[in-house]
Each structure stands twice: as C-alpha cells, then as structure tokens.
Coordinates of all heavy atoms in Angstrom, one line a residue:
M87 N 36.4 -10.1 -36.4 CA 36.5 -9.9 -37.8 C 36.6 -11.3 -38.4 O 37.4 -12.1 -37.9 CB 37.7 -9.0 -38.2 CG 37.8 -8.8 -39.7 SD 39.0 -7.7 -40.2 CE 39.2 -6.4 -39.0
P88 N 36.0 -11.6 -39.5 CA 36.1 -12.9 -40.2 C 37.5 -13.2 -40.6 O 38.3 -12.3 -41.0 CB 35.2 -12.8 -41.4 CG 34.2 -11.7 -41.1 CD 35.0 -10.8 -40.2
E89 N 37.9 -14.5 -40.6 CA 39.2 -14.9 -41.1 C 38.9 -15.8 -42.3 O 37.9 -16.5 -42.4 CB 39.9 -15.8 -40.0 CG 40.6 -15.0 -39.0 CD 41.5 -16.0 -38.1 OE1 40.9 -16.9 -37.6 OE2 42.7 -15.7 -38.0
Y90 N 39.9 -15.7 -43.2 CA 39.8 -16.5 -44.5 C 41.1 -17.2 -44.8 O 42.2 -16.7 -44.4 CB 39.5 -15.5 -45.6 CG 38.2 -14.8 -45.5 CD1 38.1 -13.6 -44.8 CD2 37.1 -15.3 -46.2 CE1 36.9 -12.9 -44.7 CE2 35.9 -14.6 -46.1 CZ 35.8 -13.4 -45.4 OH 34.6 -12.8 -45.3
V91 N 40.9 -18.3 -45.5 CA 42.1 -19.0 -46.1 C 42.0 -18.8 -47.6 O 41.0 -19.0 -48.2 CB 42.2 -20.5 -45.7 CG1 41.0 -21.3 -46.1 CG2 43.5 -21.1 -46.2
I92 N 43.1 -18.3 -48.1 CA 43.2 -18.1 -49.6 C 44.2 -19.1 -50.2 O 45.3 -19.2 -49.7 CB 43.7 -16.6 -49.9 CG1 42.8 -15.6 -49.2 CG2 43.8 -16.4 -51.4 CD1 43.3 -15.0 -48.0
E93 N 43.7 -19.7 -51.2 CA 44.6 -20.7 -52.0 C 45.1 -20.0 -53.2 O 44.3 -19.5 -54.0 CB 43.8 -21.9 -52.3 CG 44.7 -22.9 -53.1 CD 43.8 -24.2 -53.4 OE1 42.7 -24.0 -54.0 OE2 44.3 -25.3 -53.1
R94 N 46.4 -19.9 -53.4 CA 47.0 -19.2 -54.5 C 47.8 -20.3 -55.3 O 48.8 -20.8 -54.8 CB 47.9 -18.1 -54.1 CG 47.3 -17.1 -53.2 CD 48.2 -15.9 -52.9 NE 47.8 -15.1 -51.8 CZ 46.9 -14.1 -51.9 NH1 46.3 -13.9 -53.1 NH2 46.6 -13.3 -50.9
E95 N 47.3 -20.6 -56.5 CA 48.0 -21.5 -57.4 C 49.1 -20.8 -58.1 O 48.9 -19.9 -58.9 CB 47.1 -22.2 -58.4 CG 46.0 -23.0 -57.7 CD 45.0 -23.7 -58.7 OE1 45.3 -23.7 -59.9 OE2 44.0 -24.1 -58.2
M96 N 50.4 -21.2 -57.8 CA 51.5 -20.5 -58.3 C 52.6 -21.6 -58.6 O 53.5 -21.9 -57.8 CB 52.1 -19.5 -57.3 CG 51.0 -18.4 -56.9 SD 51.5 -17.3 -55.6 CE 52.8 -16.3 -56.5
P97 N 52.5 -22.2 -59.8 CA 53.5 -23.3 -60.1 C 54.9 -22.9 -59.8 O 55.4 -21.9 -60.3 CB 53.2 -23.6 -61.6 CG 51.8 -23.2 -61.8 CD 51.6 -21.9 -60.9
G98 N 55.6 -23.8 -59.1 CA 57.0 -23.6 -58.8 C 57.3 -22.7 -57.7 O 58.5 -22.4 -57.4
V99 N 56.3 -22.1 -57.0 CA 56.6 -21.1 -56.0 C 57.5 -21.7 -54.9 O 58.2 -20.9 -54.2 CB 55.3 -20.5 -55.4 CG1 54.5 -21.6 -54.6 CG2 55.5 -19.3 -54.7
G100 N 57.4 -23.0 -54.6 CA 58.2 -23.6 -53.6 C 59.7 -23.5 -53.8 O 60.5 -23.6 -52.9
D101 N 60.1 -23.2 -55.0 CA 61.5 -23.0 -55.4 C 62.0 -21.6 -55.3 O 63.1 -21.2 -55.6 CB 61.8 -23.5 -56.8 CG 61.6 -25.0 -56.9 OD1 61.8 -25.7 -55.9 OD2 61.1 -25.5 -58.0
T102 N 61.1 -20.7 -54.9 CA 61.4 -19.3 -54.8 C 62.4 -19.1 -53.6 O 62.2 -19.6 -52.5 CB 60.1 -18.4 -54.5 OG1 59.2 -18.7 -55.5 CG2 60.5 -16.9 -54.5
D103 N 63.5 -18.3 -53.9 CA 64.5 -18.0 -52.9 C 64.0 -17.0 -51.9 O 62.9 -16.4 -52.0 CB 65.8 -17.6 -53.5 CG 65.8 -16.3 -54.2 OD1 64.8 -15.6 -54.2 OD2 66.8 -16.0 -54.9
A104 N 64.8 -16.8 -50.8 CA 64.4 -15.9 -49.7 C 64.2 -14.5 -50.2 O 63.3 -13.8 -49.8 CB 65.5 -15.9 -48.6
A105 N 65.0 -14.0 -51.2 CA 64.8 -12.7 -51.7 C 63.5 -12.5 -52.5 O 62.8 -11.5 -52.4 CB 66.0 -12.3 -52.6
G106 N 63.1 -13.6 -53.2 CA 61.9 -13.6 -53.9 C 60.7 -13.5 -53.0 O 59.7 -12.8 -53.2
L107 N 60.7 -14.3 -51.9 CA 59.7 -14.4 -50.9 C 59.6 -13.0 -50.2 O 58.5 -12.5 -49.9 CB 59.8 -15.5 -50.0 CG 59.7 -16.9 -50.6 CD1 60.1 -18.0 -49.5 CD2 58.3 -17.2 -51.1
K108 N 60.7 -12.5 -49.9 CA 60.7 -11.1 -49.3 C 60.1 -10.1 -50.2 O 59.3 -9.3 -49.7 CB 62.2 -10.7 -48.9 CG 62.3 -9.4 -48.3 CD 63.7 -9.0 -47.9 CE 63.8 -7.7 -47.2 NZ 65.2 -7.3 -46.8
G109 N 60.4 -10.1 -51.5 CA 59.8 -9.2 -52.4 C 58.3 -9.3 -52.5 O 57.6 -8.3 -52.5
A110 N 57.8 -10.6 -52.5 CA 56.4 -10.8 -52.6 C 55.7 -10.3 -51.3 O 54.7 -9.7 -51.3 CB 56.1 -12.3 -52.8
S111 N 56.4 -10.5 -50.2 CA 55.9 -10.1 -48.9 C 55.8 -8.5 -48.8 O 54.8 -8.0 -48.4 CB 56.7 -10.6 -47.7 OG 56.7 -12.0 -47.7
Q112 N 56.8 -7.9 -49.4 CA 56.8 -6.4 -49.4 C 55.7 -5.9 -50.3 O 55.1 -4.9 -49.9 CB 58.2 -5.9 -49.9 CG 59.3 -6.2 -48.8 CD 60.7 -5.9 -49.4 OE1 60.9 -5.9 -50.6 NE2 61.6 -5.5 -48.4
T113 N 55.5 -6.5 -51.4 CA 54.4 -6.1 -52.3 C 53.1 -6.2 -51.6 O 52.3 -5.3 -51.6 CB 54.4 -7.0 -53.6 OG1 55.6 -6.7 -54.3 CG2 53.2 -6.6 -54.5
S114 N 52.9 -7.4 -50.9 CA 51.6 -7.6 -50.2 C 51.4 -6.5 -49.1 O 50.4 -5.9 -49.0 CB 51.6 -9.0 -49.6 OG 50.4 -9.2 -48.9
C115 N 52.5 -6.3 -48.3 CA 52.4 -5.3 -47.2 C 52.1 -3.9 -47.7 O 51.4 -3.1 -47.1 CB 53.6 -5.4 -46.4 SG 53.8 -6.9 -45.4
N116 N 52.7 -3.5 -48.9 CA 52.5 -2.2 -49.4 C 51.0 -2.0 -49.8 O 50.4 -1.0 -49.6 CB 53.4 -1.9 -50.6 CG 54.8 -1.7 -50.2 OD1 55.2 -1.4 -49.1 ND2 55.8 -2.0 -51.2
V117 N 50.4 -3.0 -50.4 CA 49.0 -3.0 -50.8 C 48.1 -2.9 -49.6 O 47.2 -2.2 -49.5 CB 48.7 -4.1 -51.8 CG1 47.2 -4.2 -52.0 CG2 49.4 -4.0 -53.1
L118 N 48.5 -3.7 -48.6 CA 47.7 -3.7 -47.4 C 47.7 -2.4 -46.7 O 46.7 -1.9 -46.2 CB 48.3 -4.8 -46.4 CG 48.0 -6.2 -46.7 CD1 48.8 -7.2 -45.9 CD2 46.5 -6.6 -46.7
R119 N 48.9 -1.7 -46.7 CA 48.9 -0.3 -46.1 C 48.0 0.6 -46.9 O 47.3 1.4 -46.3 CB 50.4 0.2 -46.2 CG 51.1 0.1 -44.9 CD 52.4 0.9 -44.9 NE 53.4 0.4 -46.0 CZ 54.1 -0.7 -45.9 NH1 54.1 -1.5 -44.8 NH2 55.0 -1.0 -46.9
D120 N 48.0 0.5 -48.2 CA 47.1 1.4 -49.0 C 45.6 1.1 -48.8 O 44.8 2.0 -48.9 CB 47.4 1.2 -50.5 CG 48.8 1.8 -50.9 OD1 49.3 2.6 -50.1 OD2 49.3 1.5 -51.9
L121 N 45.3 -0.2 -48.5 CA 43.9 -0.6 -48.3 C 43.4 -0.2 -46.9 O 42.2 -0.1 -46.7 CB 43.7 -2.1 -48.5 CG 43.9 -2.5 -50.0 CD1 43.8 -4.1 -50.1 CD2 42.8 -1.9 -50.9
G122 N 44.3 0.0 -46.0 CA 43.9 0.4 -44.6 C 43.8 -0.7 -43.6 O 44.1 -1.9 -44.0
P123 N 43.4 -0.4 -42.4 CA 43.5 -1.3 -41.3 C 42.4 -2.4 -41.3 O 42.4 -3.3 -40.5 CB 43.3 -0.5 -40.1 CG 42.5 0.7 -40.6 CD 42.9 0.9 -42.0
D124 N 41.5 -2.4 -42.2 CA 40.4 -3.4 -42.2 C 40.8 -4.8 -42.7 O 40.1 -5.7 -42.5 CB 39.2 -2.9 -43.0 CG 38.4 -1.8 -42.4 OD1 38.6 -1.6 -41.1 OD2 37.7 -1.1 -43.1
I125 N 42.0 -4.9 -43.4 CA 42.4 -6.1 -43.9 C 43.8 -6.4 -43.3 O 44.7 -5.5 -43.3 CB 42.4 -6.2 -45.4 CG1 42.9 -7.6 -45.9 CG2 43.2 -5.1 -46.0 CD1 42.7 -7.8 -47.4
Q126 N 44.0 -7.6 -42.8 CA 45.3 -8.0 -42.1 C 45.7 -9.3 -42.6 O 44.9 -10.3 -42.7 CB 45.1 -8.0 -40.6 CG 44.7 -6.7 -40.0 CD 44.2 -6.9 -38.6 OE1 44.1 -8.0 -38.1 NE2 44.1 -5.8 -37.9
W127 N 47.0 -9.4 -43.0 CA 47.6 -10.7 -43.3 C 48.2 -11.3 -42.1 O 49.0 -10.7 -41.4 CB 48.7 -10.4 -44.4 CG 49.6 -11.6 -44.7 CD1 49.3 -12.9 -44.7 CD2 50.9 -11.5 -45.2 NE1 50.3 -13.7 -45.2 CE2 51.3 -12.8 -45.5 CE3 51.8 -10.5 -45.5 CZ2 52.6 -13.1 -46.0 CZ3 53.0 -10.7 -46.0 CH2 53.4 -12.1 -46.3
V128 N 47.7 -12.5 -41.8 CA 48.2 -13.2 -40.5 C 49.5 -14.0 -40.8 O 50.5 -13.8 -40.2 CB 47.1 -14.2 -40.0 CG1 47.6 -14.9 -38.7 CG2 45.8 -13.4 -39.7
H129 N 49.5 -14.9 -41.8 CA 50.6 -15.7 -42.2 C 50.3 -16.5 -43.4 O 49.1 -16.6 -43.8 CB 51.2 -16.5 -41.1 CG 50.3 -17.6 -40.6 ND1 49.5 -17.4 -39.4 CD2 49.9 -18.8 -41.0 CE1 48.8 -18.4 -39.2 NE2 48.9 -19.3 -40.2
S130 N 51.3 -17.1 -44.0 CA 51.1 -17.9 -45.2 C 52.0 -19.2 -45.1 O 53.0 -19.2 -44.4 CB 51.5 -17.2 -46.5 OG 50.7 -16.0 -46.6
Y131 N 51.5 -20.2 -45.8 CA 52.3 -21.5 -46.0 C 52.6 -21.7 -47.4 O 51.7 -21.6 -48.3 CB 51.4 -22.7 -45.5 CG 51.0 -22.5 -44.1 CD1 49.7 -22.1 -43.8 CD2 51.8 -22.9 -43.0 CE1 49.3 -21.9 -42.4 CE2 51.4 -22.8 -41.7 CZ 50.1 -22.3 -41.4 OH 49.7 -22.2 -40.1
V132 N 53.9 -21.9 -47.7 CA 54.3 -22.1 -49.1 C 54.6 -23.5 -49.3 O 55.3 -24.2 -48.6 CB 55.6 -21.3 -49.4 CG1 56.1 -21.5 -50.8 CG2 55.4 -19.8 -49.1
T133 N 53.9 -24.1 -50.4 CA 54.1 -25.5 -50.8 C 54.8 -25.5 -52.2 O 55.1 -24.4 -52.7 CB 52.8 -26.3 -50.8 OG1 52.0 -25.8 -51.8 CG2 52.1 -26.2 -49.4
A134 N 54.9 -26.6 -52.8 CA 55.6 -26.7 -54.1 C 55.0 -25.8 -55.1 O 55.7 -25.0 -55.8 CB 55.6 -28.1 -54.6
D135 N 53.7 -25.8 -55.2 CA 53.0 -25.1 -56.3 C 51.8 -24.2 -55.8 O 51.0 -23.7 -56.6 CB 52.4 -26.1 -57.3 CG 53.5 -26.9 -58.0 OD1 54.5 -26.2 -58.4 OD2 53.4 -28.1 -58.1
K136 N 51.7 -24.0 -54.5 CA 50.7 -23.1 -54.0 C 51.1 -22.4 -52.7 O 52.0 -22.8 -52.1 CB 49.4 -24.0 -53.6 CG 48.7 -24.6 -54.8 CD 47.5 -25.4 -54.3 CE 46.9 -26.1 -55.5 NZ 45.7 -26.9 -55.1
I137 N 50.4 -21.3 -52.5 CA 50.6 -20.6 -51.2 C 49.2 -20.5 -50.6 O 48.2 -20.2 -51.2 CB 51.2 -19.1 -51.4 CG1 52.5 -19.2 -52.0 CG2 51.2 -18.4 -50.1 CD1 53.2 -17.8 -52.3
Y138 N 49.2 -20.9 -49.3 CA 47.9 -20.8 -48.5 C 48.1 -19.6 -47.5 O 49.0 -19.7 -46.7 CB 47.6 -22.1 -47.8 CG 47.5 -23.3 -48.7 CD1 48.5 -24.0 -49.1 CD2 46.2 -23.6 -49.2 CE1 48.4 -25.1 -50.0 CE2 46.0 -24.7 -50.1 CZ 47.1 -25.4 -50.5 OH 47.0 -26.5 -51.3
C139 N 47.2 -18.6 -47.6 CA 47.4 -17.4 -46.8 C 46.2 -17.3 -45.9 O 45.0 -17.6 -46.2 CB 47.4 -16.2 -47.7 SG 48.7 -16.2 -48.9
I140 N 46.4 -16.9 -44.7 CA 45.4 -16.6 -43.7 C 45.3 -15.1 -43.6 O 46.3 -14.4 -43.3 CB 45.7 -17.2 -42.3 CG1 46.0 -18.7 -42.4 CG2 44.6 -16.9 -41.3 CD1 44.9 -19.6 -43.0
Y141 N 44.1 -14.6 -43.8 CA 43.8 -13.1 -43.7 C 42.6 -12.9 -42.8 O 41.7 -13.7 -42.7 CB 43.5 -12.6 -45.1 CG 44.7 -12.2 -45.9 CD1 45.5 -13.2 -46.4 CD2 44.9 -10.9 -46.2 CE1 46.6 -12.8 -47.2 CE2 46.0 -10.5 -47.0 CZ 46.9 -11.5 -47.5 OH 47.9 -11.2 -48.2
C142 N 42.6 -11.7 -42.2 CA 41.4 -11.2 -41.5 C 40.9 -10.1 -42.3 O 41.7 -9.2 -42.7 CB 41.8 -10.7 -40.1 SG 42.3 -11.9 -38.9
A143 N 39.6 -10.1 -42.6 CA 39.0 -9.0 -43.4 C 37.5 -9.0 -43.2 O 36.9 -10.1 -42.9 CB 39.3 -9.2 -44.9
P144 N 36.9 -7.9 -43.4 CA 35.4 -7.8 -43.2 C 34.6 -8.5 -44.4 O 33.5 -8.8 -44.2 CB 35.1 -6.3 -43.2 CG 36.2 -5.7 -43.9 CD 37.4 -6.6 -43.7
S145 N 35.3 -8.7 -45.5 CA 34.6 -9.3 -46.6 C 35.6 -10.0 -47.6 O 36.8 -9.7 -47.6 CB 33.9 -8.3 -47.4 OG 34.8 -7.4 -48.1
E146 N 35.0 -10.9 -48.3 CA 35.8 -11.6 -49.4 C 36.2 -10.6 -50.5 O 37.3 -10.7 -51.1 CB 34.9 -12.7 -49.9 CG 35.6 -13.7 -50.8 CD 34.7 -14.9 -51.3 OE1 34.1 -15.5 -50.4 OE2 34.8 -15.2 -52.5
E147 N 35.4 -9.6 -50.7 CA 35.6 -8.7 -51.8 C 36.9 -7.9 -51.5 O 37.7 -7.6 -52.4 CB 34.5 -7.7 -51.9 CG 33.3 -8.3 -52.6 CD 33.6 -8.9 -54.0 OE1 34.3 -8.3 -54.8 OE2 33.2 -10.1 -54.2
L148 N 37.2 -7.5 -50.2 CA 38.4 -6.8 -49.9 C 39.6 -7.7 -50.1 O 40.6 -7.2 -50.6 CB 38.3 -6.3 -48.4 CG 39.4 -5.3 -48.0 CD1 39.5 -4.1 -49.0 CD2 39.2 -4.9 -46.6
I149 N 39.5 -9.0 -49.9 CA 40.6 -9.9 -50.2 C 40.9 -10.0 -51.7 O 42.0 -10.0 -52.1 CB 40.3 -11.3 -49.6 CG1 40.4 -11.2 -48.0 CG2 41.3 -12.3 -50.1 CD1 39.9 -12.4 -47.3
K150 N 39.8 -10.0 -52.5 CA 39.9 -10.0 -53.9 C 40.6 -8.7 -54.4 O 41.5 -8.8 -55.3 CB 38.6 -10.2 -54.6 CG 38.0 -11.6 -54.4 CD 36.6 -11.6 -55.1 CE 36.0 -13.0 -54.9 NZ 34.6 -13.1 -55.5
T151 N 40.2 -7.6 -53.8 CA 40.9 -6.3 -54.2 C 42.3 -6.4 -53.9 O 43.2 -5.9 -54.7 CB 40.2 -5.2 -53.4 OG1 38.8 -5.1 -53.8 CG2 40.9 -3.8 -53.7
H152 N 42.7 -6.9 -52.7 CA 44.1 -7.0 -52.4 C 44.9 -7.9 -53.4 O 45.9 -7.5 -53.9 CB 44.3 -7.6 -51.0 CG 45.7 -7.9 -50.7 ND1 46.2 -9.2 -50.9 CD2 46.7 -7.2 -50.2 CE1 47.5 -9.2 -50.6 NE2 47.8 -8.0 -50.1
A153 N 44.3 -9.0 -53.7 CA 45.0 -9.9 -54.7 C 45.1 -9.3 -56.0 O 46.2 -9.4 -56.6 CB 44.1 -11.2 -54.8
E154 N 44.1 -8.7 -56.5 CA 44.2 -8.0 -57.9 C 45.2 -6.9 -57.9 O 46.0 -6.7 -58.8 CB 42.8 -7.5 -58.3 CG 41.8 -8.6 -58.6 CD 40.4 -8.1 -58.7 OE1 40.1 -6.9 -58.6 OE2 39.5 -9.0 -58.8
T155 N 45.2 -6.1 -56.8 CA 46.1 -4.9 -56.8 C 47.5 -5.4 -56.6 O 48.4 -4.8 -57.3 CB 45.7 -4.0 -55.6 OG1 44.4 -3.6 -55.7 CG2 46.6 -2.8 -55.5
A156 N 47.8 -6.4 -55.8 CA 49.1 -7.0 -55.6 C 49.6 -7.8 -56.8 O 50.8 -8.0 -56.9 CB 49.2 -7.8 -54.3
G157 N 48.7 -8.3 -57.6 CA 49.1 -9.1 -58.7 C 49.2 -10.6 -58.4 O 49.9 -11.3 -59.1
F158 N 48.6 -11.0 -57.3 CA 48.6 -12.4 -56.9 C 47.3 -13.1 -57.2 O 46.3 -12.5 -57.1 CB 48.8 -12.5 -55.3 CG 50.1 -11.8 -54.8 CD1 50.0 -11.0 -53.7 CD2 51.3 -12.0 -55.4 CE1 51.2 -10.4 -53.2 CE2 52.4 -11.4 -54.9 CZ 52.4 -10.6 -53.8
P159 N 47.4 -14.4 -57.6 CA 46.1 -15.1 -57.8 C 45.4 -15.3 -56.5 O 46.0 -15.4 -55.4 CB 46.5 -16.4 -58.4 CG 47.9 -16.6 -57.9 CD 48.5 -15.2 -57.8
A160 N 44.1 -15.5 -56.5 CA 43.3 -15.9 -55.4 C 42.3 -16.9 -55.9 O 41.2 -16.6 -56.2 CB 42.6 -14.7 -54.7
N161 N 42.8 -18.1 -56.1 CA 42.0 -19.1 -56.8 C 40.8 -19.6 -55.9 O 39.8 -20.0 -56.5 CB 42.9 -20.3 -57.2 CG 44.0 -19.9 -58.1 OD1 45.1 -19.6 -57.6 ND2 43.8 -19.8 -59.3
S162 N 41.0 -19.6 -54.6 CA 39.9 -20.0 -53.7 C 40.0 -19.1 -52.5 O 41.1 -18.9 -51.9 CB 40.1 -21.4 -53.4 OG 39.3 -21.8 -52.4
I163 N 38.9 -18.6 -52.0 CA 38.8 -17.8 -50.8 C 37.7 -18.5 -50.0 O 36.6 -18.5 -50.4 CB 38.5 -16.4 -51.0 CG1 39.6 -15.7 -51.9 CG2 38.4 -15.6 -49.7 CD1 39.2 -14.3 -52.5
S164 N 38.0 -19.0 -48.8 CA 37.1 -19.6 -47.9 C 37.1 -19.0 -46.5 O 38.2 -18.9 -45.9 CB 37.3 -21.1 -47.8 OG 37.3 -21.7 -49.1
E165 N 35.9 -18.7 -46.0 CA 35.9 -18.2 -44.6 C 36.1 -19.3 -43.7 O 35.6 -20.4 -43.8 CB 34.5 -17.6 -44.3 CG 34.4 -16.9 -43.0 CD 33.2 -16.2 -42.7 OE1 32.3 -16.0 -43.6 OE2 33.0 -15.8 -41.5
I166 N 36.9 -19.1 -42.7 CA 37.2 -20.0 -41.6 C 36.1 -20.0 -40.6 O 35.8 -19.0 -40.0 CB 38.6 -19.7 -41.0 CG1 39.7 -19.8 -42.0 CG2 38.8 -20.7 -39.8 CD1 41.1 -19.3 -41.5
K167 N 35.5 -21.1 -40.4 CA 34.3 -21.2 -39.5 C 34.7 -21.7 -38.1 O 34.0 -21.4 -37.2 CB 33.3 -22.2 -40.1 CG 32.7 -21.7 -41.4 CD 31.9 -20.4 -41.2 CE 31.2 -19.9 -42.5 NZ 30.4 -18.7 -42.3
A168 N 35.8 -22.4 -38.0 CA 36.2 -22.9 -36.7 C 37.7 -23.4 -36.8 O 38.2 -23.6 -37.9 CB 35.4 -24.1 -36.3
R169 N 38.3 -23.4 -35.7 CA 39.7 -24.0 -35.6 C 39.6 -25.2 -34.7 O 38.9 -25.2 -33.7 CB 40.6 -23.0 -34.9 CG 40.9 -21.7 -35.7 CD 41.7 -20.8 -34.8 NE 41.9 -19.5 -35.4 CZ 43.0 -19.1 -35.9 NH1 44.1 -19.8 -35.8 NH2 43.1 -17.9 -36.4
I170 N 40.4 -26.2 -35.1 CA 40.5 -27.4 -34.3 C 42.0 -27.8 -34.3 O 42.8 -27.4 -35.1 CB 39.7 -28.6 -34.8 CG1 40.1 -29.0 -36.2 CG2 38.2 -28.3 -34.8 CD1 39.5 -30.3 -36.7
S171 N 42.4 -28.5 -33.2 CA 43.8 -28.9 -33.0 C 43.7 -30.1 -32.1 O 42.7 -30.5 -31.6 CB 44.6 -27.8 -32.4 OG 44.2 -27.6 -31.0
P172 N 44.9 -30.6 -31.7 CA 44.9 -31.7 -30.8 C 44.2 -31.4 -29.5 O 43.6 -32.2 -28.8 CB 46.4 -32.0 -30.6 CG 47.0 -31.7 -31.9 CD 46.2 -30.5 -32.3
M173 N 44.2 -30.1 -29.1 CA 43.6 -29.6 -27.9 C 42.1 -29.8 -28.0 O 41.4 -29.9 -27.0 CB 43.9 -28.2 -27.6 CG 45.4 -27.9 -27.4 SD 46.1 -28.8 -25.9 CE 45.2 -27.9 -24.7
T174 N 41.5 -29.8 -29.2 CA 40.1 -29.9 -29.4 C 39.6 -31.3 -28.9 O 38.5 -31.5 -28.4 CB 39.7 -29.8 -30.8 OG1 40.3 -28.5 -31.3 CG2 38.2 -29.8 -31.1
A175 N 40.5 -32.3 -28.9 CA 40.2 -33.7 -28.5 C 40.1 -33.8 -27.0 O 39.5 -34.8 -26.6 CB 41.2 -34.6 -29.1
E176 N 40.6 -32.9 -26.3 CA 40.6 -33.0 -24.8 C 39.3 -32.6 -24.2 O 38.6 -31.8 -24.7 CB 41.8 -32.3 -24.3 CG 43.1 -32.9 -24.7 CD 44.3 -32.2 -24.2 OE1 44.2 -31.3 -23.3 OE2 45.4 -32.6 -24.7

C-alpha cells in the first residue's frame, strides 16, 4: 500500500500540551476507525508550527477525506517513493 507524508500547517502546535496532543490523536483514531482498514496512521512529528504525518492509504483522496472529517489541515500530501538512511550508504 502506498505511503504518504502529510504536512499540516498549525501555528503554535509545538506548544500543545500532552492532553491536547492526546485529544488530537483520539480524534484522528476515531475518524480512522470510521473510514475502515484501508487507511492507517503510522506516526507523526510535531514541530513548532507544523505536524508531519506518515500514513498508509490506497489514495491521496482517502487522506484528504480523513483530514476534512477530523478537522485537520492537509496543506501538502506527497507519496513516499523511497526510504533512505545511513544504512543506504553501505
């Protein structure tokens, strides 16, 4: 299944406390449950003003549906074409 990185512009999100992040996670998971097993949230990285999420989904459209339903922005959605790491250099 294709993997995507989603960039969510959310000014000040890095100052969100643990309870706020938990609430956002719960919202996302509830929507994912309703959308069914074709879309999966892998993990996210929270920076000062953005969240970068990794998702598995059959299409970009399903990711957009998740974002709209959950009330989260999806400013950029890009399919991951390859992974590289220090191991790639060996």
Side-chain angles (χ1 to χ4, degrees):
M87 183 175 325
E89 279 188 306
Y90 296 87
V91 61
I92 300 102
E93 181 181 52
R94 305 183 192 281
E95 293 180 16
M96 302 173 72
V99 72
D101 294 327
T102 305
D103 64 10
L107 293 174
K108 181 178 180 179
S111 296
Q112 289 171 333
T113 297
S114 180
C115 288
N116 288 337
V117 173
L118 288 169
R119 258 191 302 281
D120 290 343
L121 291 175
D124 288 342
I125 181 169
Q126 300 169 347
W127 174 26
V128 179
H129 59 263
S130 297
Y131 301 97
V132 179
T133 65
D135 295 313
K136 294 180 182 180
I137 298 179
Y138 298 90
C139 303
I140 307 298
Y141 276 69
C142 295
S145 69
E146 191 175 314
E147 287 305 313
L148 190 53
I149 291 171
K150 288 179 183 177
T151 299
H152 171 267
E154 291 168 5
T155 305
F158 300 134
N161 303 93
S162 171
I163 302 170
S164 300
E165 186 175 350
I166 298 169
K167 296 296 186 179
R169 292 177 189 246
I170 61 172
S171 70
M173 297 299 294
T174 308
E176 296 179 7

